[in-house]
Amino acid sequence: MIVIPCPWCGPRDESEFTYGGDASRPMPSLKNGNDQAAWHGFVHQRENPKGPHVEYWYHGGGCERWLRVERDTITHQVRWASDAAAKTEPEQ
Ligand SMILES: [Zn+2]
């Protein structure tokens, strides 16, 4: 079981969330048209990290906000969660 500490709702079970992908690297820009090679690389050519990893999660069963979450891919322990727009790790 993964418990995600939503900054607005408090600690909640992962069943309230939807995984949204890798947040450790930027998405390709949409400003210059549809760069298929860039999107292919972003979606399909990913790392499979062992240990701490920053991910996007959507809290659909709560505040309906996107979060950035650091989760250990081995233990599934969540170290922190913040607003996805913040783009930085929250102060501990
Ligand atoms: Zn929430």
Side-chain angles (χ1 to χ4, degrees):
M1 180 173 90
I2 300 174
V3 176
I4 298 175
C6 177
W8 293 275
C9 306
R12 298 293 184 94
D13 185 81
E14 69 174 294
S15 63
E16 295 184 6
F17 295 83
T18 302
Y19 176 76
D22 185 353
S24 66
R25 57 195 181 126
M27 289 185 186
S29 174
L30 294 173
K31 292 181 180 175
N32 299 323
N34 184 13
D35 185 344
Q36 292 187 6
W39 278 101
H40 175 80
F42 180 76
V43 173
H44 299 291
Q45 298 173 339
R46 297 178 283 182
E47 297 291 322
N48 188 16
K50 185 176 182 182
H53 188 245
V54 181
E55 305 165 331
Y56 289 114
W57 287 79
Y58 177 67
H59 196 184
C63 60
E64 299 184 339
R65 295 183 189 206
W66 281 96
L67 308 178
R68 290 179 76 242
V69 174
E70 185 182 271
R71 177 180 66 89
D72 189 304
T73 59
I74 299 171
T75 64
H76 298 296
Q77 182 176 16
V78 174
R79 189 170 151 236
W80 55 262
S82 67
D83 181 10
K87 303 285 185 194
T88 58
E89 181 178 343
E91 294 182 22
Q92 301 290 316

